[in-house]
């Protein structure tokens, strides 16, 4: 019997669950300890931000919110590997990557508070990134389209999209990676495999041993990494971005992590997953392993941790106040930005709503 094709999926890890190195060939950025401290500080900032966001929702000051607890290494690893000129098409919980690229917490709060002005990022390079995408996997098509534009313009830029394990089963994802492979587009798709698509576990989402191998069918380089190990995520991202930037094609990276919180604040994960499973996942979480590694290197300690947490608390308080003090849009705004020319029926509704507002309703 002849063989049409063979493939294998590499697994990449540098730090184990306790923060011990499992291989000695650290990438160059990991030997820059001050830089690694900055990455840890952003991961810690992201966790403080996440806790503050949940508290805001629970006190009625924010709408439904999607937590990123447990995803800090995956997200910061993605964002820190990208160049400013690259483009990020996120789903709805990649805050660590977005904070690295200049999105302000107040903008996240505005978005989840129901104000679309939160999508209008004010700082570079986030200004040319895409807004949050709640419809599952549609952002992957946006990334593929951007990558096609970069190729046509001969620009050395890369489009990056993120997707969950469940979202990687959507046709939008398959369509995006298929065109990326067929047209040799500069695109990197990161599957952040947090083991749960809301209440659907990874084990019944796909019969494939890895989610990374979905990229093989599209003709893309594919790799699985420990998504709780920021060194592994960052290294895989750097390599994928370099391949894409130099015309060697796109990639699919599966970052294996765990969603430590509920899917969103509208969810109660206790209804569908066991307490021991979550407890075991906390033992593998990303913050502990990087912190232990930095402490062993002599560049981090408890005093620095507490001092940075205090700075983060002050930063978050300022961002929350900026969000709460933002003047609401006029009621007419809901009619103003959907059509270039407002249809007659909507114009009639707008006039009616404005008349009620004038009457003080």
């Amino acid at each position: 019997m002849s063989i049409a094709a063979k493939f294998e999926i590499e697994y990449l890890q540098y730090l184990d669950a306790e923060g011990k190195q499992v291989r000695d060939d650290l990438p160059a950025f990991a030997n820059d300890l001050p830089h690694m401290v900055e990455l840890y500080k952003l991961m810690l900032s992201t966790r403080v931000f996440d806790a503050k966001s949940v508290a805001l929702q629970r006190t009625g000051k924010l709408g439904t919110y999607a937590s990123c607890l447990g995803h800090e290494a995956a997200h910061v690893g993605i964002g820190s590997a990208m160049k400013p000129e690259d483009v990020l098409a996120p789903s709805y919980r990649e805050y660590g990557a977005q904070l690295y690229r200049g999105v302000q917490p107040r903008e996240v709060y505005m978005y989840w508070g129901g104000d679309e002005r939160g999508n209008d990022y004010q700082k570079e390079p986030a200004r040319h990134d895409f807004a949050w995408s709640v419809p599952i996997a549609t952002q992957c098509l946006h990334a593929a389209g951007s990558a096609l534009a970069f190729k046509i313009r001969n620009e050395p830029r890369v489009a990056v999209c993120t997707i969950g394990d469940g979202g990687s089963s959507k046709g939008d994802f398959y369509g995006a990676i298929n065109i990326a492979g067929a047209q040799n587009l500069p695109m990197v798709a990161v599957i952040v495999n947090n083991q749960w698509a809301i209440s659907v576990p990874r084990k019944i989402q796909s019969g494939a041993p890895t989610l990374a191998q979905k990229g093989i069918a599209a003709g893309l380089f594919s790799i699985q990494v420990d998504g709780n190990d920021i060194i592994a995520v960052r290294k895989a991202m750097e390599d994928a971005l370099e391949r894409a930037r130099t015309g060697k094609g796109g990639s699919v990276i599966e970052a294996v992590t765990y969603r430590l919180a509920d899917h969103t604040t509208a969810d109660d994960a206790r209804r569908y997953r066991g307490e021991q499973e979550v407890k075991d996942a906390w033992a593998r979480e990303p913050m502990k392993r990087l912190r232990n590694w930095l402490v062993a290197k002599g560049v981090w300690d408890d005093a620095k941790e507490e001092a940075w947490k205090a700075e983060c608390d002050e930063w978050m308080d300022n961002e929350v106040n900026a969000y709460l003090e933002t003047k609401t849009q006029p009621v007419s705004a809901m009619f103003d930005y959907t059509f270039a020319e407002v249809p007659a029926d909507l114009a009639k509704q707008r006039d009616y709503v404005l008349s009620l507002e004038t009457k003080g309703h």
Side-chain angles (χ1 to χ4, degrees):
M1 179 187 296
S2 60
I3 303 298
K6 286 185 177 182
F7 69 89
E8 59 184 15
I9 299 296
E10 178 188 351
Y11 176 76
L12 184 62
Q13 181 190 55
Y14 288 91
L15 302 180
D16 67 12
E18 298 303 318
K20 295 186 175 73
Q21 282 183 222
V22 296
R23 50 192 293 172
D24 296 325
D25 57 334
L26 287 178
F29 70 84
N31 288 311
D32 183 351
L33 292 179
H35 178 66
M36 294 305 298
V37 167
E38 291 305 310
L39 293 183
Y40 177 75
K41 289 167 71 174
L42 180 56
M43 289 170 60
L44 186 56
S45 299
T46 303
R47 184 160 288 191
V48 172
F49 156 80
D50 192 69
K52 181 71 72 174
S53 303
V54 173
L56 283 172
Q57 192 280 330
R58 297 307 191 206
T59 54
K61 297 176 182 177
L62 203 64
T64 299
Y65 169 79
S67 172
C68 65
L69 186 65
H71 299 69
E72 296 87 359
H75 295 166
V76 174
I78 292 167
S80 63
M82 296 174 65
K83 290 188 176 182
E85 61 267 27
D86 295 334
V87 166
L88 176 65
S91 55
Y92 47 77
R93 69 172 90 243
E94 285 78 32
Y95 312 115
Q98 291 182 299
L99 291 174
Y100 191 95
R101 291 180 60 78
V103 173
Q104 301 173 87
R106 68 187 68 180
E107 293 168 334
V108 185
Y109 296 145
M110 288 177 69
Y111 174 77
W112 289 114
D115 191 330
E116 74 276 5
R117 290 177 296 177
N119 287 323
D120 185 16
Y121 313 133
Q122 296 302 302
K123 293 185 177 181
E124 294 289 354
R127 278 198 64 79
H128 62 255
D129 287 344
F130 284 88
W132 292 279
S133 180
V134 172
I136 303 300
T138 53
Q139 71 277 4
C140 300
L141 295 170
H142 302 155
S146 298
L148 177 59
F150 299 157
K151 181 178 180 180
I152 291 172
R153 296 172 182 169
N154 198 29
E155 297 175 346
R157 304 169 67 187
V158 183
V160 175
C161 64
T162 55
I163 186 69
D165 41 296
S168 72
S169 296
K170 287 290 297 294
D172 309 69
F173 172 77
Y174 285 112
I177 63 172
N178 185 70
I179 193 66
Q183 297 294 323
N184 197 41
L185 301 182
M187 188 183 99
V188 177
V190 185
I191 303 172
V192 183
N193 177 4
N194 66 19
Q195 309 304 316
W196 288 92
I198 306 183
S199 59
V200 181
R202 158 67 178 93
K203 63 185 178 182
I204 65 172
Q205 290 175 42
S206 172
T210 73
L211 300 182
Q213 71 196 68
K214 295 183 177 186
I216 297 292
L220 302 179
F221 178 86
S222 302
I223 186 172
Q224 185 186 78
V225 304
D226 184 341
N228 291 332
D229 174 3
I230 190 172
I231 300 178
V233 176
R234 169 75 174 265
K235 171 61 174 170
M237 278 296 300
E238 284 191 346
D239 291 347
L241 289 165
E242 179 62 18
R243 280 192 300 270
R245 208 180 310 279
T246 55
K248 298 176 182 176
S251 299
V252 170
I253 299 171
E254 178 189 1
V256 181
T257 181
Y258 193 86
R259 192 190 78 214
L260 293 171
D262 297 329
H263 177 69
T264 70
T265 51
D267 175 42
D268 181 1
R270 294 172 299 179
R271 295 176 300 168
Y272 54 79
R273 65 184 187 188
E275 182 179 336
Q276 188 60 46
E277 176 183 325
V278 179
K279 183 178 179 181
D280 291 344
W282 271 104
R284 304 187 301 271
E285 66 98 9
M287 301 294 297
K288 179 183 73 172
R289 70 176 68 189
L290 181 56
R291 184 183 189 279
N292 287 350
W293 185 74
L294 292 172
V295 169
K297 295 288 186 180
V299 294
W300 196 253
D301 55 36
D302 290 343
K304 290 179 179 178
E305 179 111 357
E306 293 308 311
W308 182 245
K309 283 183 179 178
E311 286 192 44
C312 291
D313 285 336
E314 183 178 359
W315 178 37
M316 287 305 127
D317 287 342
N318 290 334
E319 290 296 306
V320 168
N321 290 335
Y323 156 65
L324 295 176
E325 293 167 3
T326 300
K327 187 177 180 180
T328 57
Q329 298 186 77
V331 68
S332 59
M334 74 175 78
F335 301 97
D336 292 340
Y337 305 108
T338 303
F339 296 93
E341 296 181 9
V342 181
D345 59 331
L346 286 184
K348 184 177 180 180
Q349 293 178 39
R350 180 184 61 190
D351 293 343
Y352 174 69
V353 170
L354 290 176
S355 71
L356 292 177
E357 187 177 44
T358 302
K359 294 175 183 178
H361 291 283

